[in-house]
Amino acid sequence: MTAQPRYHAITRGLKINVRNVTRDVVLADAAHSADTSAQRRTGLLKHTHLEPGDGLWIVPCESVHSFFMKFTIDVLYLDRKRRVKKIRPEMVPWRISACLTAHSVLELPAGTIVRTGTQAGDQLEIKTLSSPAGGGAP
């Protein structure tokens, strides 16, 4: 039996598009979800950067850390209705951040929050683009 290839967590979840409905701006057009325990645990730790339009939506999640990360990220905490509860722009490596009322976290390239004007209270829309196997969304 051959060993299964190891993939980074960001490539295993569903591919998603994230739009800030309140500001009518796209936050990510090539983000991925992390909805298994292993994907949530690994997050972006194996990555060296995020390209514009990339991101990781961690579900469920109410806190993140950037220990051992190699780059700065923007963090959005969302409630179950995908409304922004808290923003954490420019979170550098070796930090901890939490929002105990959050249901999920969206990690984005640094500068996305400022560029898009995203604020607490904004409503986000998350659409599935493809399945982990590469098929289209239902």
Side-chain angles (χ1 to χ4, degrees):
M1 185 159 124
T2 60
Q4 292 292 325
R6 292 185 59 121
Y7 297 100
H8 294 310
I10 196 168
T11 62
R12 297 182 86 182
L14 296 174
K15 189 171 181 182
I16 59 172
N17 175 284
V18 184
R19 186 173 153 266
N20 183 330
V21 176
T22 305
R23 313 255 170 234
D24 193 25
V25 64
V26 173
L27 300 178
D29 57 8
H32 289 81
S33 66
D35 53 7
T36 69
S37 178
Q39 291 169 338
R40 288 191 306 269
R41 219 176 17 257
T42 303
L44 297 173
L45 292 176
K46 295 181 180 180
H47 292 62
T48 58
H49 69 286
L50 282 177
E51 295 291 334
D54 283 351
L56 185 65
W57 184 36
I58 307 170
V59 185
C61 185
E62 59 189 26
S63 65
V64 294
H65 70 81
S66 59
F67 301 142
F68 304 104
M69 285 195 51
K70 299 165 186 74
F71 57 101
T72 300
I73 59 173
D74 282 356
V75 180
L76 298 176
Y77 292 91
L78 312 176
D79 65 16
R80 288 182 185 272
K81 295 181 179 179
R82 300 176 183 158
R83 186 170 301 274
V84 178
K85 299 290 288 179
K86 176 181 173 180
I87 63 171
R88 177 78 189 265
E90 305 282 334
M91 184 171 157
V92 298
W94 298 99
R95 300 293 187 269
I96 297 174
S97 180
C99 177
L100 299 181
T101 60
H103 176 257
S104 63
V105 171
L106 181 62
E107 297 179 337
L108 298 165
T112 303
I113 290 173
V114 170
R115 178 181 55 78
T116 62
T118 299
Q119 299 177 16
D122 285 359
Q123 180 65 53
L124 303 189
E125 175 183 72
I126 299 175
K127 291 186 179 179
T128 303
L129 300 176
S130 67
S131 67

